Structure formats: structure tokens, C-alpha cells
Short mmCIF file of all heavy atoms in Angstrom, two decimals:
data_model
loop_
_atom_site.label_atom_id
_atom_site.label_comp_id
_atom_site.label_asym_id
_atom_site.label_seq_id
_atom_site.Cartn_x
_atom_site.Cartn_y
_atom_site.Cartn_z
N VAL A 651 -3.02 -25.70 -15.04
CA VAL A 651 -3.51 -24.45 -15.58
C VAL A 651 -3.07 -23.25 -14.71
O VAL A 651 -2.62 -22.21 -15.25
CB VAL A 651 -5.07 -24.45 -15.70
CG1 VAL A 651 -5.61 -23.09 -16.11
CG2 VAL A 651 -5.54 -25.55 -16.65
N LYS A 652 -3.23 -23.42 -13.42
CA LYS A 652 -2.87 -22.37 -12.49
C LYS A 652 -1.38 -21.98 -12.64
O LYS A 652 -1.06 -20.79 -12.72
CB LYS A 652 -3.14 -22.82 -11.04
CG LYS A 652 -2.75 -21.94 -9.94
CD LYS A 652 -3.16 -22.40 -8.62
CE LYS A 652 -2.70 -23.79 -8.32
NZ LYS A 652 -3.25 -24.34 -7.02
N ASP A 653 -0.49 -22.96 -12.67
CA ASP A 653 0.90 -22.70 -12.80
C ASP A 653 1.25 -22.03 -14.07
O ASP A 653 2.02 -21.05 -14.11
CB ASP A 653 1.72 -24.04 -12.68
CG ASP A 653 1.70 -24.57 -11.27
OD1 ASP A 653 1.25 -23.84 -10.31
OD2 ASP A 653 2.13 -25.71 -11.05
N ASN A 654 0.64 -22.45 -15.19
CA ASN A 654 0.91 -21.84 -16.48
C ASN A 654 0.43 -20.39 -16.53
O ASN A 654 1.14 -19.52 -17.03
CB ASN A 654 0.25 -22.63 -17.63
CG ASN A 654 0.99 -23.97 -17.86
OD1 ASN A 654 2.14 -24.08 -17.57
ND2 ASN A 654 0.24 -24.98 -18.38
N VAL A 655 -0.75 -20.18 -16.02
CA VAL A 655 -1.29 -18.81 -16.05
C VAL A 655 -0.44 -17.87 -15.16
O VAL A 655 -0.07 -16.84 -15.66
CB VAL A 655 -2.76 -18.79 -15.53
CG1 VAL A 655 -3.23 -17.39 -15.28
CG2 VAL A 655 -3.70 -19.55 -16.53
N LEU A 656 -0.13 -18.27 -13.96
CA LEU A 656 0.65 -17.43 -13.11
C LEU A 656 2.03 -17.18 -13.65
O LEU A 656 2.52 -16.05 -13.59
CB LEU A 656 0.71 -18.04 -11.64
CG LEU A 656 -0.58 -18.11 -10.92
CD1 LEU A 656 -0.32 -18.76 -9.57
CD2 LEU A 656 -1.10 -16.67 -10.63
N LYS A 657 2.64 -18.25 -14.19
CA LYS A 657 4.00 -18.05 -14.67
C LYS A 657 4.02 -17.12 -15.89
O LYS A 657 4.90 -16.29 -16.06
CB LYS A 657 4.56 -19.46 -15.08
CG LYS A 657 6.08 -19.41 -15.30
CD LYS A 657 6.71 -20.79 -15.27
CE LYS A 657 8.23 -20.70 -15.33
NZ LYS A 657 8.83 -21.97 -15.16
N ASN A 658 3.02 -17.25 -16.72
CA ASN A 658 2.92 -16.26 -17.89
C ASN A 658 2.76 -14.83 -17.43
O ASN A 658 3.31 -13.90 -17.96
CB ASN A 658 1.74 -16.64 -18.81
CG ASN A 658 2.10 -17.93 -19.62
OD1 ASN A 658 3.24 -18.25 -19.84
ND2 ASN A 658 1.01 -18.65 -20.04
N ILE A 659 1.91 -14.67 -16.35
CA ILE A 659 1.72 -13.31 -15.82
C ILE A 659 3.04 -12.75 -15.27
O ILE A 659 3.44 -11.62 -15.58
CB ILE A 659 0.65 -13.31 -14.72
CG1 ILE A 659 -0.70 -13.59 -15.30
CG2 ILE A 659 0.62 -11.96 -13.98
CD1 ILE A 659 -1.79 -13.82 -14.26
N PHE A 660 3.71 -13.57 -14.51
CA PHE A 660 4.96 -13.13 -13.87
C PHE A 660 6.04 -12.89 -14.91
O PHE A 660 6.81 -11.90 -14.85
CB PHE A 660 5.44 -14.15 -12.90
CG PHE A 660 4.57 -14.27 -11.60
CD1 PHE A 660 4.39 -15.45 -10.99
CD2 PHE A 660 3.98 -13.14 -11.10
CE1 PHE A 660 3.58 -15.54 -9.88
CE2 PHE A 660 3.12 -13.22 -10.00
CZ PHE A 660 2.94 -14.38 -9.39
N THR A 661 6.16 -13.79 -15.94
CA THR A 661 7.17 -13.60 -16.97
C THR A 661 6.91 -12.30 -17.74
O THR A 661 7.85 -11.57 -18.08
CB THR A 661 7.15 -14.79 -17.99
OG1 THR A 661 7.38 -15.99 -17.20
CG2 THR A 661 8.21 -14.66 -19.01
N SER A 662 5.66 -11.99 -18.08
CA SER A 662 5.34 -10.74 -18.78
C SER A 662 5.70 -9.52 -18.01
O SER A 662 5.93 -8.47 -18.58
CB SER A 662 3.86 -10.75 -19.14
OG SER A 662 3.00 -10.57 -17.97
N ARG A 663 5.74 -9.63 -16.66
CA ARG A 663 5.99 -8.43 -15.88
C ARG A 663 7.45 -8.38 -15.39
O ARG A 663 7.86 -7.41 -14.81
CB ARG A 663 5.08 -8.44 -14.63
CG ARG A 663 3.65 -8.15 -15.02
CD ARG A 663 2.70 -8.30 -13.84
NE ARG A 663 1.32 -8.07 -14.21
CZ ARG A 663 0.64 -6.97 -13.90
NH1 ARG A 663 1.19 -6.09 -13.11
NH2 ARG A 663 -0.63 -6.85 -14.28
N SER A 664 8.19 -9.51 -15.61
CA SER A 664 9.60 -9.44 -15.16
C SER A 664 10.52 -10.18 -16.18
O SER A 664 10.73 -9.74 -17.27
CB SER A 664 9.71 -10.09 -13.77
OG SER A 664 9.09 -11.35 -13.69
N ASN A 665 10.94 -11.42 -15.80
CA ASN A 665 11.67 -12.29 -16.73
C ASN A 665 11.58 -13.71 -16.25
O ASN A 665 10.90 -13.97 -15.25
CB ASN A 665 13.14 -11.84 -16.75
CG ASN A 665 13.78 -11.81 -15.35
OD1 ASN A 665 13.72 -12.77 -14.64
ND2 ASN A 665 14.34 -10.64 -14.98
N ALA A 666 12.16 -14.63 -16.98
CA ALA A 666 11.93 -16.07 -16.71
C ALA A 666 12.48 -16.43 -15.30
O ALA A 666 11.84 -17.15 -14.58
CB ALA A 666 12.60 -16.89 -17.78
N THR A 667 13.65 -15.94 -14.96
CA THR A 667 14.24 -16.25 -13.61
C THR A 667 13.32 -15.67 -12.56
O THR A 667 13.00 -16.39 -11.59
CB THR A 667 15.62 -15.63 -13.50
OG1 THR A 667 16.44 -16.18 -14.55
CG2 THR A 667 16.20 -15.93 -12.15
N MET A 668 12.87 -14.41 -12.73
CA MET A 668 12.07 -13.80 -11.67
C MET A 668 10.71 -14.51 -11.58
O MET A 668 10.18 -14.61 -10.46
CB MET A 668 11.84 -12.35 -12.04
CG MET A 668 11.29 -11.51 -10.93
SD MET A 668 12.44 -11.47 -9.56
CE MET A 668 11.31 -10.90 -8.27
N SER A 669 10.14 -14.98 -12.66
CA SER A 669 8.88 -15.66 -12.60
C SER A 669 8.93 -16.95 -11.77
O SER A 669 8.06 -17.28 -11.03
CB SER A 669 8.37 -15.98 -14.03
OG SER A 669 9.18 -17.00 -14.63
N ASP A 670 10.08 -17.69 -11.89
CA ASP A 670 10.30 -18.85 -11.05
C ASP A 670 10.34 -18.53 -9.58
O ASP A 670 9.81 -19.19 -8.68
CB ASP A 670 11.59 -19.56 -11.47
CG ASP A 670 11.55 -20.24 -12.84
OD1 ASP A 670 10.40 -20.53 -13.28
OD2 ASP A 670 12.56 -20.44 -13.44
N ILE A 671 11.01 -17.39 -9.23
CA ILE A 671 11.10 -16.95 -7.86
C ILE A 671 9.71 -16.61 -7.35
O ILE A 671 9.32 -17.00 -6.22
CB ILE A 671 12.03 -15.72 -7.77
CG1 ILE A 671 13.46 -16.10 -8.10
CG2 ILE A 671 11.97 -15.13 -6.35
CD1 ILE A 671 14.41 -14.97 -8.22
N LEU A 672 8.96 -15.88 -8.13
CA LEU A 672 7.60 -15.48 -7.72
C LEU A 672 6.68 -16.70 -7.54
O LEU A 672 5.85 -16.70 -6.68
CB LEU A 672 7.00 -14.50 -8.78
CG LEU A 672 7.66 -13.10 -8.75
CD1 LEU A 672 7.15 -12.30 -9.96
CD2 LEU A 672 7.32 -12.36 -7.52
N MET A 673 6.81 -17.68 -8.43
CA MET A 673 6.00 -18.85 -8.26
C MET A 673 6.28 -19.55 -6.97
O MET A 673 5.38 -20.02 -6.30
CB MET A 673 6.27 -19.76 -9.49
CG MET A 673 5.67 -19.35 -10.79
SD MET A 673 3.84 -19.34 -10.74
CE MET A 673 3.50 -21.05 -10.52
N ASN A 674 7.52 -19.59 -6.65
CA ASN A 674 7.95 -20.25 -5.35
C ASN A 674 7.30 -19.49 -4.19
O ASN A 674 6.78 -20.08 -3.22
CB ASN A 674 9.43 -20.32 -5.25
CG ASN A 674 9.86 -21.02 -3.97
OD1 ASN A 674 9.55 -22.15 -3.78
ND2 ASN A 674 10.59 -20.34 -3.15
N VAL A 675 7.34 -18.17 -4.22
CA VAL A 675 6.79 -17.34 -3.18
C VAL A 675 5.28 -17.57 -3.01
O VAL A 675 4.76 -17.77 -1.92
CB VAL A 675 7.07 -15.86 -3.38
CG1 VAL A 675 6.33 -15.00 -2.35
CG2 VAL A 675 8.57 -15.57 -3.22
N VAL A 676 4.55 -17.56 -4.16
CA VAL A 676 3.14 -17.77 -4.15
C VAL A 676 2.75 -19.14 -3.57
O VAL A 676 1.94 -19.28 -2.70
CB VAL A 676 2.52 -17.62 -5.57
CG1 VAL A 676 1.11 -18.09 -5.59
CG2 VAL A 676 2.62 -16.14 -5.96
N ASN A 677 3.46 -20.19 -4.06
CA ASN A 677 3.12 -21.54 -3.60
C ASN A 677 3.48 -21.72 -2.14
O ASN A 677 2.84 -22.47 -1.44
CB ASN A 677 3.92 -22.55 -4.46
CG ASN A 677 3.33 -22.69 -5.83
OD1 ASN A 677 2.14 -22.57 -6.01
ND2 ASN A 677 4.17 -22.88 -6.83
N THR A 678 4.51 -21.03 -1.62
CA THR A 678 4.90 -21.10 -0.21
C THR A 678 3.86 -20.44 0.61
O THR A 678 3.40 -20.88 1.63
CB THR A 678 6.25 -20.48 0.01
OG1 THR A 678 7.21 -21.22 -0.76
CG2 THR A 678 6.64 -20.53 1.48
N ASN A 679 3.43 -19.20 0.21
CA ASN A 679 2.53 -18.42 1.03
C ASN A 679 1.08 -18.85 0.96
O ASN A 679 0.33 -18.54 1.88
CB ASN A 679 2.62 -16.93 0.60
CG ASN A 679 3.80 -16.24 1.12
OD1 ASN A 679 3.80 -15.79 2.25
ND2 ASN A 679 4.90 -16.15 0.35
N ILE A 680 0.72 -19.61 -0.07
CA ILE A 680 -0.71 -20.02 -0.19
C ILE A 680 -0.94 -21.34 0.56
O ILE A 680 -2.09 -21.76 0.74
CB ILE A 680 -1.09 -20.17 -1.64
CG1 ILE A 680 -2.60 -19.94 -1.81
CG2 ILE A 680 -0.63 -21.48 -2.21
CD1 ILE A 680 -3.04 -18.54 -1.52
N CYS A 681 0.12 -22.03 1.00
CA CYS A 681 -0.02 -23.30 1.64
C CYS A 681 -0.63 -23.13 3.05
O CYS A 681 -0.77 -22.09 3.56
CB CYS A 681 1.27 -24.05 1.68
SG CYS A 681 2.49 -23.36 2.84
N ASN A 682 -0.83 -24.25 3.69
CA ASN A 682 -1.50 -24.26 5.01
C ASN A 682 -0.78 -23.45 6.06
O ASN A 682 -1.34 -22.93 6.97
CB ASN A 682 -1.68 -25.71 5.46
CG ASN A 682 -2.56 -25.79 6.71
OD1 ASN A 682 -3.58 -25.10 6.75
ND2 ASN A 682 -2.21 -26.66 7.63
N GLU A 683 0.60 -23.46 5.95
CA GLU A 683 1.36 -22.79 6.99
C GLU A 683 1.21 -21.25 6.93
O GLU A 683 1.51 -20.53 7.90
CB GLU A 683 2.83 -23.14 6.87
CG GLU A 683 3.18 -24.58 7.35
CD GLU A 683 2.78 -25.63 6.32
OE1 GLU A 683 2.47 -25.18 5.19
OE2 GLU A 683 2.73 -26.79 6.73
N CYS A 684 0.81 -20.76 5.78
CA CYS A 684 0.76 -19.32 5.63
C CYS A 684 -0.56 -18.77 6.20
O CYS A 684 -1.57 -19.40 6.11
CB CYS A 684 0.86 -18.92 4.15
SG CYS A 684 0.54 -17.19 3.85
N SER A 685 -0.45 -17.63 6.82
CA SER A 685 -1.69 -17.01 7.35
C SER A 685 -1.84 -15.59 6.80
O SER A 685 -0.85 -14.88 6.65
CB SER A 685 -1.65 -16.94 8.90
OG SER A 685 -0.54 -16.14 9.33
N LEU A 686 -3.05 -15.23 6.53
CA LEU A 686 -3.38 -13.82 6.21
C LEU A 686 -4.06 -13.25 7.42
O LEU A 686 -5.02 -13.84 7.97
CB LEU A 686 -4.32 -13.78 4.97
CG LEU A 686 -3.83 -14.63 3.80
CD1 LEU A 686 -4.95 -14.58 2.73
CD2 LEU A 686 -2.58 -14.01 3.27
N ARG A 687 -3.58 -12.12 7.90
CA ARG A 687 -4.10 -11.58 9.14
C ARG A 687 -5.07 -10.39 8.88
O ARG A 687 -4.72 -9.49 8.11
CB ARG A 687 -2.99 -11.13 10.08
CG ARG A 687 -2.14 -12.31 10.55
CD ARG A 687 -1.27 -11.93 11.72
NE ARG A 687 -0.30 -10.88 11.39
CZ ARG A 687 0.75 -10.62 12.19
NH1 ARG A 687 0.97 -11.29 13.31
NH2 ARG A 687 1.63 -9.67 11.85
N HIS A 688 -6.23 -10.44 9.56
CA HIS A 688 -7.16 -9.33 9.49
C HIS A 688 -7.38 -8.87 10.94
O HIS A 688 -6.91 -9.50 11.93
CB HIS A 688 -8.52 -9.81 8.94
CG HIS A 688 -8.41 -10.21 7.46
ND1 HIS A 688 -8.84 -9.43 6.46
CD2 HIS A 688 -7.96 -11.38 6.95
CE1 HIS A 688 -8.63 -10.08 5.32
NE2 HIS A 688 -8.11 -11.24 5.58
N ASN A 689 -8.07 -7.76 11.12
CA ASN A 689 -8.48 -7.27 12.43
C ASN A 689 -7.23 -7.15 13.34
O ASN A 689 -7.31 -7.35 14.56
CB ASN A 689 -9.48 -8.15 13.13
CG ASN A 689 -10.70 -8.39 12.19
OD1 ASN A 689 -11.17 -7.50 11.53
ND2 ASN A 689 -11.16 -9.65 12.19
N PHE A 690 -6.13 -6.70 12.79
CA PHE A 690 -4.88 -6.67 13.56
C PHE A 690 -4.82 -5.42 14.40
O PHE A 690 -4.86 -4.28 13.91
CB PHE A 690 -3.70 -6.67 12.60
CG PHE A 690 -2.35 -6.71 13.23
CD1 PHE A 690 -1.74 -7.94 13.51
CD2 PHE A 690 -1.70 -5.56 13.61
CE1 PHE A 690 -0.49 -7.93 14.15
CE2 PHE A 690 -0.43 -5.58 14.20
CZ PHE A 690 0.16 -6.80 14.48
N LYS A 691 -4.77 -5.65 15.72
CA LYS A 691 -4.74 -4.53 16.67
C LYS A 691 -3.69 -4.77 17.69
O LYS A 691 -3.71 -5.82 18.39
CB LYS A 691 -6.09 -4.30 17.36
CG LYS A 691 -6.19 -2.99 18.12
CD LYS A 691 -7.64 -2.78 18.58
CE LYS A 691 -7.83 -1.39 19.24
NZ LYS A 691 -7.13 -1.25 20.46
N TYR A 692 -2.75 -3.90 17.89
CA TYR A 692 -1.60 -4.12 18.73
C TYR A 692 -1.42 -2.85 19.63
O TYR A 692 -1.05 -1.78 19.14
CB TYR A 692 -0.31 -4.29 17.92
CG TYR A 692 0.86 -4.89 18.68
CD1 TYR A 692 2.06 -5.21 18.01
CD2 TYR A 692 0.82 -5.18 20.00
CE1 TYR A 692 3.13 -5.78 18.64
CE2 TYR A 692 1.89 -5.76 20.68
CZ TYR A 692 3.04 -6.03 19.98
OH TYR A 692 4.13 -6.58 20.60
N ASP A 693 -1.71 -2.99 20.93
CA ASP A 693 -1.64 -1.88 21.87
C ASP A 693 -0.44 -2.14 22.80
O ASP A 693 -0.31 -3.19 23.49
CB ASP A 693 -2.89 -1.77 22.74
CG ASP A 693 -4.08 -1.36 21.90
OD1 ASP A 693 -3.89 -0.47 21.00
OD2 ASP A 693 -5.14 -1.93 22.10
N ILE A 694 0.49 -1.15 22.94
CA ILE A 694 1.68 -1.26 23.77
C ILE A 694 1.62 -0.06 24.74
O ILE A 694 1.36 1.07 24.33
CB ILE A 694 2.92 -1.21 22.96
CG1 ILE A 694 2.93 -2.28 21.86
CG2 ILE A 694 4.16 -1.35 23.85
CD1 ILE A 694 3.15 -1.75 20.47
N GLU A 695 1.91 -0.32 26.02
CA GLU A 695 1.94 0.78 27.01
C GLU A 695 3.17 0.62 27.87
O GLU A 695 3.49 -0.44 28.39
CB GLU A 695 0.68 0.72 27.88
CG GLU A 695 0.67 1.91 28.90
CD GLU A 695 -0.54 1.82 29.82
OE1 GLU A 695 -1.32 0.79 29.73
OE2 GLU A 695 -0.76 2.72 30.63
N LEU A 696 3.95 1.74 28.02
CA LEU A 696 5.16 1.77 28.78
C LEU A 696 4.88 2.47 30.14
O LEU A 696 4.51 3.59 30.12
CB LEU A 696 6.26 2.48 28.00
CG LEU A 696 7.74 2.16 28.28
CD1 LEU A 696 7.96 0.71 27.93
CD2 LEU A 696 8.59 3.09 27.42
#
């Protein structure tokens, strides 16, 4: 169901080829290796 829904959304907003690319990106980024970062603070001093 998830794949069909997402693919239909992507196809409606782009084309069939692009929807396949987007599906691959989503499935790659949602897997365990992907991280979503919050509270990101980076201080640099020279």
C-alpha cells in the first residue's frame, strides 16, 4: 500500500521515471542507516 500510494503521489507531481527515482530516495533515507538531525549546534572559533 505504501509503495503504491507514494508512487502515485510522485507520478502525479513529476513523471514515471522521476517517481522511481524518488521512491529509491525515500526508501534509502528512511532505512536504519539514515538519520534525521535535531538540536544541531555547531560552534567554530579561529
Side-chain angles (χ1 to χ4, degrees):
V651 173
K652 175 173 56 183
D653 288 349
N654 287 334
V655 170
L656 290 178
K657 194 162 187 175
N658 287 336
I659 292 173
F660 291 144
T661 302
S662 69
R663 291 174 181 249
S664 51
N665 54 54
T667 301
M668 193 62 197
S669 69
D670 289 338
I671 295 171
L672 288 170
M673 286 295 296
N674 182 59
V675 171
V676 169
N677 287 324
T678 299
N679 280 278
I680 207 67
C681 71
N682 189 41
E683 286 76 13
C684 172
S685 63
L686 308 174
R687 295 196 297 195
H688 297 258
N689 306 320
F690 184 91
K691 191 171 187 293
Y692 196 178
D693 295 318
I694 306 126
E695 182 182 7
L696 207 61

